[in-house]
Each structure stands twice: as C-alpha cells, then as structure tokens.
Amino acid sequence: MDNTDELKFQDFEEVSNLLSFDPNAPTVAVSDSLASLSGEEDVKLDLNEDEEGLENSKLLGETPTGGFWTFDYYQSFFNVETAQVMDRLKGSVMPIPGRNFVKYYLRNKPDLYGPFWICVTLVFSVAISGNLSTFLSQFGDQTYHYRPQFHRVTIAAIVIFMYASLVPLCAWGFLTWRRGPEGHMRCYTFLETVCVYGYSLFIFIPTSLLWIIPLEWLRWLLILVSTVVSGSVLVFTFLPVVRDHTKVTAATTLLTILVLHSLLAIGCKMYFFHTAVHMATPATTTLPMMTTQVTQAH
Amino acid sequence: MAEADGSSRAFLGLSDVSISEDIPVEGDISMPPTSSSQDDGFSTLDEPVKDTVLRDLKAVGNKFVHVLYPKKSKALLRDWDLWGPLLLCVTLALLLQGGSVDSKDDGGPQFAEVFVIIWFGSLIITLNSKLLGGTISFFQSLCVLGYCIMPLTVAMVVCRIVLLGGSGTVSFVVRLVVVCASFGWSTFASTAFLADSQPQNRKALVVYPVFLFYFVIGWMILTFAPAQ
C-alpha cells in the first residue's frame, strides 16, 4: 500500500514539531491505521473523517468542548495525570538550553492544575515562612509576644495571583501583537503562557522555605539562584518566539520578563522577611526599638 | 342457522348470570380525599419534635464515629449532610477567638476568616476533584471534608486546655505533637473516602490539595497564642 508510510508509528517529538510548523497538516489517527489493516480502507476512512478531525483537535489540544459557561470547558484544562505534572515540575527546575518548556513538556496540552496549586502553595509557604522567620529572629527577646500575622496570607495571595495572571496576559498580548509577518513559529496561546509562568514559580516554594534560615548572604544567594533558574526557563521558552523580531525588541522583551520576575522575588523577600535587616546587632537595648519598628512597618 | 344455534348454546349458561347477586362487587369509585402514603417517604409532621431532632443527631453522631475509625464504608457518602461540618466549623472558629487581640493587625484569624477558609477551601478542593474527573458528587465531597475536620477540632480543644497551664516550650512540644497527629489523622480519614473516586493515575493530584488544606488549618491551630 502506498500509504503505509503515513500509517507507521511516528516519534511524538517529530509530530509535535511538524504540527508547530504547520498546524493544518493532516494527521492520521490510530483508528485509521487499524481500519486500513482490515482492508476496507476506503469506506472506513470516510467514516472516520469525523474522528480524524477530533484527533486533530486533540493533538492540537486547544479546542475545549462547549462554551465557557459549561463545566466541560474547564474540565479540559485539568486533563493531566500525576506523572505529567511531576514531569513538568522537574522541567521547571532544570532549564536546559534549547529545551523549550512549552514544546517539550506541555506538548499542546497545557493545564491549569499546576499553575493554580503552585500559586496557592507559594502563598501559604511565603506567609508561613515569613511568620516563622520573624519568630526565630526574636526568639531570645522576652518582651516579644508571638503574633500569627494572618493578614500576610491575604497580601501574599493578592500579589502572587495577580502576578501569575496579569504578567502572562501582558506578555501574551505583546507577543501576539508584535508577531512578525513571516513568523514560522506560532505564538503561544494565553493558556500556555499562564502555564509556563505558573510552573516557573515552583522553584520559589523551596526557596521560601529555605529563607527561614537567618543568614543574610544565604538569602540573597537563594534569590539569585532561584531567579536565574526560573528566569532561564522563561527565557528559553520565549526565545524562539522573539527571534523573529529585531534584536532590540527581543532583548528588551526578555529583559523585561527577567526584571519582573526578580522584582517579585525581591519584593517577597523584602516584605515577608524584612526582619533580616535588623538581625545583625545582638544588643538588647536596640531590640525593643526594632520590635516597635517592625510592628509599625505593618 | 345451526352455527348460530350452536354459538348461542355455548353462551347459554351466561344468560342467567346476575351480576348484582352472584358476583359481589363492592368498593368506592370516587378518589379518596387524603392519599395515604404507603411509600417510604414517611411524614415527619406527625411525630414529636424530639424524634425528628434525635434522628438527625444520631445520623450526625454516626458519621463522627465513621471518621474516628475510617473504614472504607459508604455511610458517609450515601447519606451526606452538612450539619456536622457546620457544627465543627463554628466550634473551631469560636475556639480560635480570644487570641492575642491587643493588636488587631497582627492577631490571629478572625471568625469570618476561619469560616471562609474552611468553606472556601472545601469548595475549591471539591471543584478540583470534580474537574479531575472524580465520581463523587459535590455535596458528598463537602460532607467528607467537613466531617474530617473533627480530629483537628479535638486537637484545638486539647491545645486550649494545655495552654491553660502555661505557654512554655513543653506546652509547645505537646501541642505540636497533638496537632501533627490529628492533622495526619484528618488527611488519612478524608483520603480513605476521596481517593477511591479517582482513577489510579490521578490519586496524588487529588490528595495533595486535601493535605494542604488540613496543613493550613493545623497551622492556624498550632499558632494560636492566648491573650496575656
């Protein structure tokens, strides 16, 4: 048969690369190959055209069923398994140059589970670690009365969720608007951008837990390491897209992404762990002054 | 003619059947004004109030026992109710009051905050489990998550009693152990019910938010500092 080449199993990476090259390329579903093996290929292929269309959209992964008011619409964003989520988390902490997060890990199946629960965990880990570090830094002080500082959770939630939803919106909007005329690379969808940003925040969770250790140089080192890792995931993801633009635009875009990311890290550290500034002097006379400064800073 | 005679002879015996005398027919054709409900939906209007209240209390108490010994039984799932979660939530929120209230800003969670965290958290976890394709229904999941807060409420009561004796390091260690044990118990009890409704490759995705939810509640209990 002349179409056995089309029907043999192809490596998934190739297929996704081909799809990114030309999203309208016809793909062959497994049911088609089975039908042709049975020998009634003409009839079966006609009947399977609808299935083939569905398989196309499933491979592209971006056509949820139903309108945005139905439950099924959102269910299509949670179509992941444990192994896939673990895979994506691993990919977000180990950026390898040339390995595009969206192409290699997401593979046209972005999900909302990862970004949402990573943001929730980050909110609580930052608030709890900040509370613990405040407590530890004033452990020996007898006049210190422990306070849970529960309002920090609200502030952390607002900041992190706004970052994780507004910055991808701006990035996606900008890149879609500036898409080059001969762009061979299709721009990422909004969901994929949100996904990349959400997974890139994962490294801040262990970082915020390590920030409890009251060593100033360690905290700045941790900020540097986590911003570099997380920022490089973002840079490697967006590099192929901005490659078509002029060098200045490309450099500015990537730089803005990095600056915003490091601002988030430094801002979190400064606000939630700001007692580190005062931990240098062990003199007891200055401690009560510092506690009043701390409480007034709120 | 002969056939007509033959057929009429066959029905001969019926001609003198008198319906009104030989076959007694009795009954009432009219519809009865009040339909006696003989199905299982019995009316609770006729029983004393004590019976109605006690029945619901017994159902709630039965579910508490199921949380204490979490076996894979269907009782919690089949007859869900939200009285138990409401009771536990209000108790926990009330017990978390009376903390360090000298400064409104840095104090513990307010009553409304505890309420919102528990109910909103349960809602988010239920939505998450349904979006991942779980077979458990919405209110069943809320019911399970609410009832499994019970070990943490017990831990809160124990913590307050321990705090009456002072708030030194020993009391902190005791409280830490109690809260950790009850947090583990809550998570284990709820996953015994919730994880069954998911396919194998997504169980961890459903269990993690439950773990986070009870961890946050445990944290709120552990950091409760009494007013001085």
Side-chain angles (χ1 to χ4, degrees):
Chain A
M1 284 180 245
D2 52 342
N3 50 358
T4 38
D5 285 339
E6 282 178 15
L7 297 172
K8 80 167 189 275
F9 180 72
Q10 299 192 0
D11 189 17
F12 194 77
E13 184 108 32
E14 253 183 52
V15 170
S16 65
N17 281 341
L18 288 173
L19 271 180
S20 66
F21 189 84
D22 178 13
N24 296 322
T27 55
V28 182
V30 174
S31 52
D32 290 339
S33 67
L34 285 178
S36 65
L37 281 175
S38 73
E40 299 169 354
E41 49 198 83
D42 291 336
V43 176
K44 284 281 173 64
L45 276 176
D46 283 338
L47 283 178
N48 285 339
E49 256 174 28
D50 288 342
E51 277 183 30
E52 195 178 303
L54 251 177
E55 281 298 317
N56 268 338
S57 67
K58 276 195 194 136
L59 278 170
L60 287 176
E62 279 300 320
T63 55
T65 53
F68 64 89
W69 58 89
T70 60
F71 190 72
D72 288 340
Y73 179 79
Y74 299 102
Q75 200 159 16
S76 60
F77 299 146
F78 279 74
N79 198 11
V80 278
E81 306 174 355
T82 312
Q84 282 175 333
V85 173
M86 300 303 292
D87 223 11
R88 292 172 187 190
L89 290 176
K90 272 200 291 259
S92 74
V93 295
M94 289 188 304
I96 299 176
R99 217 183 247 190
N100 188 342
F101 188 81
V102 173
K103 285 287 163 292
Y104 190 76
Y105 289 104
L106 291 190
R107 295 193 181 190
N108 296 318
K109 276 184 68 178
D111 67 303
L112 273 183
Y113 176 90
F116 179 73
W117 286 109
I118 290 176
C119 287
V120 170
T121 313
L122 187 62
V123 163
F124 284 113
S125 80
V126 162
I128 290 179
S129 310
N131 193 231
L132 269 179
S133 83
T134 314
F135 173 70
L136 282 178
S137 72
Q138 298 174 353
F139 188 53
D141 187 12
Q142 295 301 321
T143 62
Y144 176 67
H145 181 61
Y146 172 73
R147 292 177 160 80
Q149 291 170 320
F150 207 70
H151 64 287
R152 282 181 167 181
V153 173
T154 324
I155 296 177
I158 293 175
V159 166
I160 288 175
F161 273 98
M162 273 182 44
Y163 179 83
S165 49
L166 289 183
V167 173
L169 183 69
C170 296
W172 170 76
F174 178 72
L175 288 173
T176 313
W177 173 57
R178 292 283 306 225
R179 183 169 24 191
E182 312 107 14
H184 70 278
M185 189 84 177
R186 70 174 174 93
C187 190
Y188 305 134
T189 67
F190 174 57
L191 202 61
E192 285 171 341
T193 324
V194 166
C195 212
V196 167
Y197 264 91
Y199 277 106
S200 73
L201 286 177
F202 173 69
I203 189 151
F204 289 116
I205 296 176
T207 312
S208 66
L209 292 174
L210 287 174
W211 272 340
I212 298 177
I213 304 174
L215 293 170
E216 192 63 19
W217 59 268
L218 182 67
R219 289 181 179 179
W220 284 106
L221 183 67
L222 282 171
I223 286 189
L224 196 65
V225 166
S226 57
T227 313
V228 161
V229 167
S230 166
S232 49
V233 169
L234 290 174
V235 163
F236 293 144
T237 306
F238 287 110
L239 200 57
V241 181
V242 301
R243 208 178 278 155
D244 296 332
H245 303 167
T246 62
K247 277 213 162 39
V248 174
T249 322
T252 321
T253 317
L254 293 175
L255 208 61
T256 318
I257 292 177
L258 276 177
V259 162
L260 281 173
H261 218 64
S262 40
L263 271 181
L264 177 76
I266 296 177
C268 277
K269 185 218 173 272
M270 290 265 102
Y271 181 72
F272 292 103
F273 298 85
H274 64 274
T275 56
V277 180
H278 305 291
M279 56 76 64
T281 58
T284 48
T285 47
T286 48
L287 268 176
M289 207 169 59
M290 280 187 272
T291 40
T292 49
Q293 274 178 9
V294 164
T295 50
Q296 275 166 15
H298 284 260
Chain B
M1 280 308 214
E3 290 97 9
D5 284 342
S7 59
S8 64
R9 220 177 291 128
F11 295 113
L12 204 56
L14 292 176
S15 60
D16 46 21
V17 169
S18 159
I19 294 182
S20 58
E21 287 164 17
D22 289 355
I23 302 177
V25 175
E26 57 187 51
D28 200 348
I29 298 181
S30 66
M31 283 291 291
T34 57
S35 58
S36 60
S37 50
Q38 285 142 357
D39 50 359
D40 30 85
F42 56 91
S43 160
T44 55
L45 280 177
D46 295 333
E47 59 180 13
V49 175
K50 180 169 73 89
D51 281 353
T52 314
V53 171
L54 274 181
R55 187 187 317 118
D56 281 335
L57 279 180
K58 276 207 196 88
V60 169
N62 191 26
K63 292 203 191 63
F64 279 144
V65 170
H66 274 286
V67 172
L68 279 179
Y69 303 109
K71 305 184 287 289
K72 285 199 196 329
S73 78
K74 297 289 177 204
L76 249 182
L77 293 182
R78 201 180 42 231
D79 311 315
W80 60 266
D81 74 90
L82 292 178
W83 284 114
L86 182 68
L87 262 173
L88 288 170
C89 181
V90 168
T91 313
L92 191 60
L94 281 175
L95 285 174
L96 277 170
Q97 298 309 297
S100 46
V101 290
D102 37 274
S103 156
K104 277 202 299 293
D105 285 333
D106 288 357
Q110 304 297 315
F111 183 91
E113 283 173 346
V114 176
F115 219 79
V116 161
I117 282 188
I118 291 181
W119 285 103
F120 204 60
S122 305
L123 186 74
I124 297 265
I125 294 178
T126 307
L127 273 179
N128 177 62
S129 145
K130 286 203 68 79
L131 282 170
L132 282 171
T135 55
I136 198 171
S137 95
F138 185 76
F139 285 108
Q140 280 172 354
S141 174
L142 280 183
C143 169
V144 167
L145 286 168
Y147 269 103
C148 291
I149 294 183
M150 192 187 76
L152 283 166
T153 311
V154 168
M156 182 70 210
V157 171
V158 170
C159 280
R160 283 214 79 155
I161 296 176
V162 166
L163 277 170
L164 284 177
S167 53
T169 314
V170 170
S171 93
F172 176 72
V173 168
V174 168
R175 280 185 292 141
L176 181 68
V177 165
V178 166
V179 169
C180 281
S182 59
F183 154 69
W185 193 355
S186 285
T187 312
F188 172 67
S190 63
T191 52
F193 295 106
L194 286 178
D196 274 348
S197 65
Q198 293 286 340
Q200 184 62 35
N201 55 357
R202 289 185 185 178
K203 276 207 196 326
L205 295 183
V206 172
V207 168
Y208 172 70
V210 175
F211 168 87
L212 189 64
F213 176 62
Y214 289 127
F215 181 80
V216 169
I217 296 183
W219 174 258
M220 286 198 298
I221 293 176
L222 187 61
T223 60
F224 173 75
Q228 286 182 354

